[in-house]
Amino acid sequence: MTTQHKSEADVVLIGAGIMSATLGLLLKELQPNLKIEIFERLDIAAAESSDAWNNAGTGHAAFCELNYTPEKSDGSIDTSKAVKIVEAFEVSRQFWSYLVEKGLLNNPENFIKSIPHMSFVWGEKNTKYLKKRYDALQEFHLFKDMEYTEDADKIKEWAPLIMEGRNGAKKVAATSMRFGTDVNFGELTRSIFRYLETLEGVQLHFNHDVKKLRKYDDGTWRVRVKELSSGAKKRVKAKFVFIGAGGGSLLLLEKANIPEGAGFGGFPVSGQWLKCTNDELIAKHQAKVYGKAAVGAPPMSVPHIDTRMIDGKKALLFGPYAGFSTKFLKNGSYLDLAKSIKPGNIKPMLGAGISNIPLTKYLIEQVLQSPEDRMKALREYLPDAKKEDWVLENAGQRVQVIKKDKNGKGILEFGTEVVNAADGSLAVLLGASPGASTAVSIMLDLIGRCYKEELASPEWQSKLKEMIPSYGLKLNENPQLADELRHKTGTILKLKTIV
């Protein structure tokens, strides 16, 4: 008979990605005496969605991602999502700066770098759209430094590779935001966990798989865990549980069996990159250049030619190319999708499938792509691209959220979704982009749902203001504060482009 190790914790975090790291550190700063246990199925932190190769890494700030500013039926631009995301990214910058300033994180240059964010389009229709987008965003202070041009020479100055070999017959347009950043969320996540492990009351367990979740009558949770290397079983009694396991969160939410989680399903989307192997080309490009997604494509498939810093080395990627796999995690099981189907979510999942036939068609086409097809897509952005300079790399898995709408029908969501028990004892994060970049804001929202009384206390409010000076304010509505904080955070994070 296997002996079970029993323990108690104030907080259990499931999954060692950027979300758990951010929540764990926020809670530990707000209440240092909390006992926190973290369980990760793999042998390293940030190996799934937070890893640099599996994450878009833009430091999503809505500067260049055109899918955040859709054109409405009346021809106007919907800026609401872009404005929300840029505000959230500024919150992340403030929190990271606090951690560096206090010495909790060292060497910010290891996880964040200055890199211009560009949008690039061609053709009359797309050019008109980009100009309308630019004009609409100029109403908001955090976008005031964006530049727009239809001058091919100016675009070549910003990003020479995308103009080399381009036929001048087609109209082109671009925007550039020099305050953009490249963020290595894998390195940031591991840095946070290295610090958390030094704190009293924090334990991080790798190679541990959460098998069961059960709620006690007193509102606490019993978390059953299996150590994969030895087979030993553990049981932790926790006051609060956060499920931040990326694509694996849906299966764990189903195990928790809370009423608020009923009806949720997941649609997995995989990705691939073309990685440049030519050092001369890599050195020549210095920007994140985003274009328009194909009709029916998921947001994670917005094409971009992307300068990255990964493990201290400059890289150049193009993609991602979308695909379909029944796995919910890159290191998951092909049975994940089948296991996620329950009586309560069959109808929403079928409904979402029927209403997203163009997406299904698009993913099938992506899976069937040949190397020549991929090069053709690349040459739309780099006309002179040569096949021998690029190799195919697998990216991460994303599970898009399927949930019931007000009529009980299934809808496919392309953002992040926080689901929490009514009593605040458990919360789960589902979904994908722009998650990592807005992790601090997402976790603050979660804290507001699950720690209402504590959050209202003067002590927590004061600490939050210390960590995030703009807490409770909108920077677009406070231009002077926005400029001051951008300058301060840029200086602390050692960014080259500072207001």
Side-chain angles (χ1 to χ4, degrees), residues 330-364:
K330 192 173 182 178
N331 296 287
S333 165
Y334 287 108
L335 298 175
D336 286 343
L337 179 58
K339 288 178 179 177
S340 75
I341 299 172
K342 306 292 182 185
N345 66 11
I346 289 177
K347 186 178 177 181
M349 289 181 74
L350 287 174
I354 292 169
S355 60
N356 285 278
I357 290 174
L359 171 60
T360 306
K361 180 176 178 289
Y362 170 81
L363 292 175
I364 292 170

Side-chain angles (χ1 to χ4, degrees), residues 346-420:
I346 289 177
K347 186 178 177 181
M349 289 181 74
L350 287 174
I354 292 169
S355 60
N356 285 278
I357 290 174
L359 171 60
T360 306
K361 180 176 178 289
Y362 170 81
L363 292 175
I364 292 170
E365 290 171 349
Q366 289 275 294
V367 170
L368 297 176
Q369 277 189 122
S370 67
E372 289 72 25
D373 292 329
R374 295 189 189 95
M375 286 305 299
K376 183 179 178 182
L378 172 59
R379 288 187 183 116
E380 289 188 325
Y381 289 83
L382 302 183
D384 286 347
K386 296 178 177 62
K387 188 176 179 180
E388 60 266 26
D389 292 332
W390 300 83
V391 296
L392 193 64
E393 291 277 345
N394 287 326
Q397 283 284 118
R398 298 289 186 274
V399 178
Q400 311 296 346
V401 179
I402 295 173
K403 66 177 185 178
K404 293 179 182 177
D405 63 12
K406 59 184 179 182
N407 299 315
K409 295 181 180 179
I411 55 172
L412 189 61
E413 292 283 341
F414 288 110
T416 49
E417 184 92 18
V418 175
V419 181
N420 61 277

Side-chain angles (χ1 to χ4, degrees), residues 18-46:
I18 186 63
M19 294 297 175
S20 290
T22 301
L23 179 59
L25 190 44
L26 279 169
L27 288 175
K28 201 65 176 168
E29 286 294 297
L30 289 166
Q31 191 171 325
N33 65 345
L34 284 177
K35 184 179 179 183
I36 300 176
E37 295 213 34
I38 307 149
F39 296 100
E40 168 58 48
R41 191 171 58 90
L42 302 177
D43 59 2
I44 189 173

Side-chain angles (χ1 to χ4, degrees), residues 276-352:
C276 185
T277 57
N278 185 325
D279 289 339
E280 187 178 333
L281 291 180
I282 295 170
K284 204 169 184 179
H285 188 76
Q286 186 68 17
K288 293 179 178 293
V289 183
Y290 273 57
K292 289 201 79 173
V295 176
M300 69 171 287
S301 300
V302 174
H304 47 288
I305 181 75
D306 193 351
T307 293
R308 302 283 299 275
M309 290 298 296
I310 300 176
D311 300 327
K313 187 177 180 182
K314 188 177 178 183
L316 182 61
L317 307 178
F318 176 76
Y321 299 93
F324 177 77
S325 167
T326 55
K327 289 183 178 183
F328 278 6
L329 292 161
K330 192 173 182 178
N331 296 287
S333 165
Y334 287 108
L335 298 175
D336 286 343
L337 179 58
K339 288 178 179 177
S340 75
I341 299 172
K342 306 292 182 185
N345 66 11
I346 289 177
K347 186 178 177 181
M349 289 181 74
L350 287 174

Side-chain angles (χ1 to χ4, degrees), residues 91-294:
V91 168
S92 292
R93 278 182 51 146
Q94 290 174 61
F95 182 58
W96 301 336
S97 297
Y98 164 83
L99 300 178
V100 172
E101 196 172 29
K102 293 294 182 182
L104 312 188
L105 293 184
N106 299 311
N107 305 315
E109 63 274 18
N110 289 346
F111 69 83
I112 189 167
K113 297 272 189 182
S114 292
I115 186 82
H117 285 197
M118 289 178 59
S119 301
F120 175 65
V121 298
W122 54 87
E124 192 70 34
K125 182 180 179 182
N126 288 339
T127 299
K128 285 182 179 178
Y129 159 78
L130 192 64
K131 181 61 166 66
K132 282 196 292 186
R133 176 185 187 268
Y134 167 76
D135 290 339
L137 291 176
Q138 287 305 292
E139 297 180 20
F140 303 96
H141 184 75
L142 292 174
F143 293 97
K144 71 180 177 66
D145 292 295
M146 181 179 283
E147 297 179 71
Y148 174 86
T149 188
E150 296 175 17
D151 184 338
D153 289 335
K154 185 67 173 176
I155 298 173
K156 188 173 182 179
E157 181 185 317
W158 289 345
L161 285 184
I162 67 174
M163 298 305 293
E164 288 182 2
R166 189 169 294 278
N167 186 335
K170 277 190 177 179
K171 194 171 185 180
V172 292
T175 57
S176 179
M177 193 72 171
R178 62 194 178 100
F179 296 117
T181 50
D182 176 67
V183 184
N184 185 327
F185 286 102
E187 180 57 38
L188 174 60
T189 302
R190 287 185 281 273
S191 295
I192 291 175
F193 278 125
R194 280 195 293 270
Y195 169 70
L196 278 173
E197 281 191 285
T198 68
L199 302 180
E200 185 177 348
V202 177
Q203 287 189 303
L204 176 55
H205 310 272
F206 290 114
N207 296 304
H208 280 69
D209 193 17
V210 174
K211 293 297 185 181
K212 289 185 180 180
L213 290 160
R214 183 180 174 187
K215 195 173 186 180
Y216 286 119
D217 292 338
D218 64 0
T220 61
W221 287 86
R222 182 178 67 193
V223 184
R224 288 189 175 181
V225 188
K226 181 180 179 181
E227 186 177 2
L228 297 177
S229 56
S230 67
K233 295 178 180 178
K234 298 182 180 182
R235 191 170 75 187
V236 183
K237 185 179 180 182
K239 296 175 183 176
F240 172 73
V241 175
F242 170 65
I243 303 173
S249 292
L250 176 62
L251 297 173
L252 289 167
L253 173 61
E254 291 176 342
K255 289 179 180 180
N257 197 30
I258 60 172
E260 295 80 7
F264 278 92
F267 185 88
V269 179
S270 61
Q272 292 178 313
W273 300 102
L274 280 178
K275 181 178 75 171
C276 185
T277 57
N278 185 325
D279 289 339
E280 187 178 333
L281 291 180
I282 295 170
K284 204 169 184 179
H285 188 76
Q286 186 68 17
K288 293 179 178 293
V289 183
Y290 273 57
K292 289 201 79 173

Side-chain angles (χ1 to χ4, degrees), residues 430-452:
L430 303 172
S433 180
S437 297
T438 58
V440 180
S441 292
I442 292 171
M443 291 301 102
L444 287 174
D445 173 65
L446 185 152
I447 288 170
R449 298 180 187 205
C450 300
Y451 289 86
K452 291 179 182 177

